[in-house]
Amino acid sequence: MQLRVCAVAELPPGEVAVAQGPPRIAVFNVDGELYALEDQCTHQQAWLSDGFVEGCAVECPLHASLFDLRTGKPSGPPAIRAVHTYQVAVVDEQIMVTVEDS
Ligand code: FES
């Protein structure tokens, strides 16, 4: 199933957009590349969309685990588990992410 996030024009480089879902997904635009991942940190209750992007990773705003935007993997504790990543595509000027049917 494809979930619409927003129009491409609404997500310029350096910004993040959130699809409320479920699942809630954050889409980051890093220098024109789009990355979609599960918005909730795997450690505790924090939204990665509130975090800080450093290169190709996002730092959790609560305890600073750094998640790779390409793989969802944390670089170190306190988070141990990766966040889910999603395929993202632009269709008719709309940003769409593919989520598994449940
Ligand atoms: S809630 Fe994200 S590292 Fe703790």
Side-chain angles (χ1 to χ4, degrees):
M1 164 179 93
Q2 284 204 311
L3 201 62
R4 179 186 173 277
V5 182
C6 65
V8 177
E10 295 175 298
L11 185 60
E15 297 292 327
V16 58
V18 174
Q20 296 297 333
R24 181 168 155 140
I25 296 171
V27 180
F28 295 85
N29 183 338
V30 181
D31 297 331
E33 287 289 328
L34 299 176
Y35 302 95
L37 57 166
E38 180 184 351
D39 197 15
Q40 179 160 356
C41 183
T42 55
H43 178 228
Q44 286 180 4
Q45 177 57 46
W47 301 127
L48 296 180
S49 54
D50 291 333
F52 313 97
V53 174
E54 297 180 14
C56 210
V58 61
E59 183 183 282
C60 176
L62 209 50
H63 308 112
S65 274
L66 205 56
F67 291 87
D68 191 306
L69 293 173
R70 296 159 295 194
T71 63
K73 291 184 181 156
S75 63
I80 297 168
R81 283 184 300 112
V83 290
H84 200 81
T85 58
Y86 299 91
Q87 275 195 345
V88 57
V90 175
V91 181
D92 295 333
E93 300 299 314
Q94 304 296 313
I95 296 173
M96 311 291 290
V97 290
T98 302
V99 295
E100 302 81 11
D101 293 319
S102 54

